[in-house]
Amino acid sequence: MKLIRFGTSGNEKPGVLLVDGTKLDVSAFGMDYNEAFFENNGIDQLRNWLNDNKPHCPKINNETRLGPPLARPSKLVCVGLNYAMHAKEAGMAIPKEPVLFFKSTTSICGPYDDVIIPKNSVKSDWEVELAIVIGKKASYVKESEAKDHIAGYVLHNDISERAFQIEKEGQWCKGKGCDTFAPLGPYIATTDEIKDPNNLELWLKVNGERLQHSSTSDFIFNVYDVVSYISKFMTLLPGDVISTGTPFGVGLGLKPPKYLRPGDTMELGIEGLGTSKQTCIAYKKIG
């Protein structure tokens, strides 16, 4: 099943994307895609509900905005330097353990929303990533059990301001958590939709030029490693998102480096998880 959310920012409703591309409004089901939904076996409940109610669900107009495909999670945990080729282009050693950092949940936006270049930004960068959506509370989970704690997968653009991230003192969160720096979607694909998350093609284009093109088979730490590892340090709650790192081809690694400017467009995709597209705009106050 493919889960979507639609409507204006902050007022999204739940929906599903059918195999034929039809989008259905399932707000009559009575639950948004939030912690309670995932915690209470919402995916199976929704699937059963649709067996009886699909013919009565309104269709969603294709012109309607798609928002992030889940309500704001308790946390968005990211893994850095998780592709061998990306570590090489960054001039860094292969990590012996996953490198972890957080993105602010306020950075989450829809898959086709504009990306705001922050005030004083000179090095905003792109990063196509596979993200995991947690389906069941996870604490000290064994790698062999990790799959049972995953609800699905989603496309993520881990946008990063490199000057904020690297050149300012402190942790990476300064360059990772800016507003609109985490476009998610277009949909969450439940685990039955993705045969092998550790062998998916992914790519990203900037202004039509393909700059990232790789496979999750280049992971240093695979999906199940990552869930198990993070659960040793914090409890993962249903609906939490884990982003698994980006492959080579980011702006920081180009020679010379190349960064985003207002007017630039990013288009990205992952096998089985659809595509998204964002246009960069100059800073403006939101909310």
Side-chain angles (χ1 to χ4, degrees), residues 131-204:
I132 302 162
V133 179
I134 296 297
K136 185 168 67 173
K137 184 183 290 187
S139 178
Y140 297 100
V141 171
K142 295 178 182 178
E143 183 184 342
S144 61
E145 300 170 346
K147 186 175 182 179
D148 297 334
H149 293 263
I150 298 173
Y153 302 94
V154 64
L155 173 63
H156 174 217
N157 191 354
D158 174 21
I159 300 163
S160 310
E161 214 298 343
R162 303 302 189 185
F164 297 178
Q165 176 189 356
I166 299 169
E167 298 169 22
K168 293 184 179 292
E169 293 184 2
Q171 299 179 337
W172 287 1
C173 60
K174 293 177 183 177
K176 294 286 188 172
C178 303
D179 291 341
T180 72
F181 266 30
L184 291 177
Y187 52 79
I188 296 169
T190 53
T191 52
D192 57 296
E193 297 266 348
I194 303 298
K195 182 178 180 181
D196 183 2
N198 297 306
N199 188 25
L200 298 175
E201 181 184 10
L202 69 171
W203 55 269
L204 181 144

Side-chain angles (χ1 to χ4, degrees), residues 41-91:
N41 204 25
I43 290 173
D44 286 341
Q45 288 192 52
L46 176 58
R47 188 178 281 119
N48 292 334
W49 182 86
L50 281 168
N51 287 336
D52 296 326
N53 293 280
K54 186 187 296 184
H56 311 297
C57 293
K59 291 184 179 180
I60 302 165
N61 190 296
N62 285 332
E63 303 304 313
T64 302
R65 171 185 176 269
L66 290 183
L70 76 169
R72 187 178 295 173
S74 83
K75 49 190 169 291
L76 172 47
V77 191
C78 298
V79 182
L81 300 173
N82 196 28
Y83 285 75
M85 289 290 289
H86 178 48
K88 182 178 179 181
E89 76 171 346

Side-chain angles (χ1 to χ4, degrees), residues 3-5 9 11 41 43 60 63 73 78 100 110 143 166 187 200 210-211 252 258 267:
L3 308 179
I4 60 172
R5 292 171 74 246
S9 180
N11 299 292
N41 204 25
I43 290 173
I60 302 165
E63 303 304 313
C78 298
L100 303 182
E143 183 184 342
I166 299 169
Y187 52 79
L200 298 175
R210 180 167 290 191
L211 296 174
L252 176 67
K258 181 179 179 180
E267 187 174 4

